[in-house]
Amino acid sequence: MNSYTGVWRSGSHRHYLWANVSWSRFRSKWRENSRHSLRLVDMNVHLVGNSVRYTGVWEHGTGAHYLWVNASWSSFRAKWRELAQRQLRLTVLKVLTINGRRRYFGVWRPGRDAYYLWVGADWANFRAKWREQSARSMRLVDLEVYPTSRGLRYAGVWRRGMGSHYLWVGASWSSFVSKWRDLAARGLRLTVVKSYLRRGRRRYAGVWRPGRDGYYLWGNTRWQNFVSKWRELNGKNLRLVHLDVLNVRRVPTSPWVRLHIKILTAPTTFPVNTMVESMRRVYRAAGFEVDVASTETLNLPALDDLEIGTCTRGNTTAEQDTLFGNRNNVGANDIPVYFVRTTDRPTNGCAAHADGVPACVVASGATIWTLAHEVGHVLDLNHVNDNTRLMTGNGTFNIISPPLPVLSSSEINTMDNSPLTREL
Ligand SMILES: [Zn+2]
């Protein structure tokens, strides 16, 4: 299944979008569009089995252009040199591994300016190259991030350019969108977006250049959704300028956490479902979904008034260890939440657990935010001294709401990096 992400800028020119087709169909469309003064502004390639599927974004344009696809590096580089002599500049670069071989795909448009191409770099090397090129008034016009057996590799296409620019890689969707908003307010516009998988998680990279025009970002969505957004934005004089296609097993809307509710004694303050719904509101505002995969009643009277000791990270009592051994249905990265009558040092909840045994406890006198707070600890969040935040160390009964208790962007980042939040 494909997940589509697009970048729009102000525009009212003619345009065309053609997605997910074989090379022969793409080539005939490319020829037909050429005759109608349409030029590729972006192209995407992805694999379905071992066959390459093409997606193109065209806009009104005249003049020379060139398309060269599915080439080995040596043939691609030779073509790149030859076309440079003919006053054509690479504007789009894609890299795919097919049957263990790296293949290169490019689009060229007219130009007489300086140009640069750098492929197969690890991040440290690429960043150094980016800095070096920046100092030479070269700006990225396309960026590619692709997996290899030695980890992620980066490729960049540069052309002469001035003014501010920005490069941001390795971000989750929520942090990418928040960066996008910040930079838009500073007069920068996203020109390239690239998504890829890193350790099973979807990550985004972007390139920004100066701009004061209209802009839009719509991502992480299925084709039908994408096309209806495309139509809607066309009517608002916004034009797709960059498109990212990632083939994933299923299209995730958000990263998520999976809970298992284990009830020894149900809370007396709020029903469990109300606590779950409150947690969902806070987590959703931070970009996370909460999935309750199972609910079980446990008859364990000896553990219903649970000894929690100091309730500090990594320190558990024998009673906690015994309780947390009840893991029916609980997958490796799932979080069981045990609802008990009381804890022996009275608290509303406790998230101390042994390494590799994620779990937390909620007592029957819990507040409406206790569940969300304790799971926050399990996701590696620490206390803060701020009662507008979910992770206040002053007791969740002190949380000032409305509005919703806040998860900060650095907390969202920590949650993103927890193995217990998953995207695919
Ligand atoms: Zn706490």
Side-chain angles (χ1 to χ4, degrees):
M1 176 172 293
N2 291 331
S3 171
Y4 296 83
T5 302
V7 180
W8 283 259
R9 302 273 301 264
S10 287
S12 53
H13 44 262
R14 279 194 305 126
H15 59 284
Y16 199 87
L17 176 62
W18 185 247
N20 201 1
V21 295
S22 67
W23 169 239
S24 63
R25 291 184 71 199
F26 189 78
R27 186 179 49 187
S28 22
K29 183 58 73 179
W30 182 78
R31 285 180 178 152
E32 180 194 322
N33 279 343
S34 298
R35 288 193 298 273
H36 293 110
S37 297
L38 288 163
R39 298 291 181 264
L40 275 176
V41 285
D42 198 17
M43 174 179 70
N44 243 279
V45 287
H46 68 275
L47 283 177
V48 174
N50 273 329
S51 105
V52 183
R53 298 301 182 90
Y54 293 78
T55 296
V57 181
W58 284 262
E59 65 171 32
H60 176 74
T62 53
H65 59 145
Y66 205 90
L67 177 61
W68 184 247
V69 303
N70 211 341
S72 68
W73 172 240
S74 59
S75 128
F76 189 85
R77 188 179 48 187
K79 181 59 74 179
W80 176 75
R81 287 189 174 137
E82 173 203 325
L83 293 175
Q85 298 304 311
R86 289 161 54 186
Q87 316 300 349
L88 285 161
R89 296 291 178 265
L90 186 62
T91 55
V92 176
L93 170 69
K94 298 294 156 201
V95 184
L96 258 192
T97 304
I98 308 172
N99 289 324
R101 292 213 178 116
R102 212 96 58 222
R103 310 296 281 180
Y104 298 81
F105 304 72
V107 174
W108 282 259
R109 295 300 314 280
R112 292 169 179 273
D113 53 326
Y115 57 96
Y116 198 83
L117 175 61
W118 188 246
V119 310
D122 64 20
W123 172 241
N125 178 292
F126 189 81
R127 188 177 48 185
K129 185 56 72 179
W130 181 77
R131 287 186 176 145
E132 172 198 305
Q133 293 299 316
S134 297
R136 293 178 180 159
S137 298
M138 299 291 282
R139 298 290 183 261
L140 271 179
V141 296
D142 202 9
L143 168 71
E144 181 68 317
V145 187
Y146 51 96
T148 73
S149 56
R150 290 170 299 136
L152 287 177
R153 288 295 179 267
Y154 299 79
V157 181
W158 282 261
R159 289 181 65 177
R160 176 73 72 212
M162 310 292 274
S164 50
H165 58 145
Y166 204 92
L167 174 62
W168 181 248
V169 309
S172 69
W173 177 246
S174 50
S175 87
F176 191 80
V177 169
S178 120
K179 176 61 71 180
W180 172 77
R181 285 206 187 95
D182 291 351
L183 292 175
R186 288 163 50 187
L188 287 161
R189 295 291 177 266
L190 186 62
T191 55
V192 175
V193 63
K194 172 71 194 177
S195 77
Y196 50 96
L197 297 179
R198 182 163 177 255
R199 297 196 201 107
R201 296 172 155 249
R202 188 165 184 181
R203 290 291 177 254
Y204 294 80
V207 176
W208 281 259
R209 296 298 316 280
R212 301 260 165 206
D213 55 325
Y215 58 98
Y216 204 89
L217 174 63
W218 181 251
N220 218 343
T221 184
R222 296 160 186 246
W223 177 243
Q224 269 176 321
N225 242 327
F226 188 82
V227 169
S228 60
K229 180 57 73 177
W230 180 78
R231 292 209 176 96
E232 176 199 324
L233 295 175
N234 288 343
K236 295 178 173 170
N237 285 337
L238 287 162
R239 292 291 178 265
L240 187 62
V241 296
H242 203 93
L243 173 66
D244 176 69
V245 185
L246 187 68
N247 192 238
V248 289
R249 272 168 291 170
R250 68 187 183 88
V251 174
T253 49
S254 307
W256 43 274
V257 289
R258 177 167 287 160
L259 305 185
H260 296 266
I261 304 293
K262 310 273 186 203
I263 302 174
L264 287 74
T265 293
T268 54
T269 46
F270 301 95
V272 169
N273 283 345
T274 305
M275 295 187 185
V276 169
E277 279 317 307
S278 304
M279 175 178 176
R280 283 206 170 110
R281 286 164 57 212
V282 177
Y283 278 57
R284 215 168 255 164
F288 297 89
E289 291 295 328
V290 177
D291 174 31
V292 175
S294 74
T295 302
E296 183 185 21
T297 302
L298 293 176
N299 184 21
L300 299 167
L303 300 173
D304 210 3
D305 299 299
L306 187 75
E307 287 189 11
I308 57 169
T310 56
C311 188
T312 48
R313 184 180 292 253
N315 299 307
T316 52
T317 64
E319 286 194 2
Q320 280 169 303
D321 293 342
T322 306
L323 181 61
F324 298 165
N326 293 279
R327 299 182 90 78
N328 281 339
N329 311 312
V330 179
N333 291 318
D334 297 356
I335 305 170
V337 181
Y338 299 86
F339 287 82
V340 298
R341 184 164 52 205
T342 62
T343 54
D344 73 339
R345 187 171 67 81
T347 61
N348 286 336
C350 174
H353 58 85
D355 268 358
V357 190
C360 62
V361 169
V362 174
S364 62
T367 75
I368 202 160
W369 305 118
T370 301
L371 171 64
H373 176 97
E374 297 307 333
V375 173
H377 282 309
V378 179
L379 299 176
D380 297 325
L381 301 184
N382 297 315
H383 280 154
V384 292
N385 181 20
D386 179 345
N387 292 342
T388 66
R389 308 244 310 252
L390 179 66
M391 297 316 293
T392 178
N394 306 322
T396 55
F397 52 87
N398 275 314
I399 285 178
I400 298 159
S401 77
L404 284 175
V406 171
L407 284 163
S408 73
S409 56
S410 72
E411 285 170 336
I412 293 171
N413 209 35
T414 302
M415 293 161 76
D416 266 325
N417 288 323
S418 163
L420 308 181
T421 59
R422 284 160 287 169
E423 290 184 347
L424 300 177

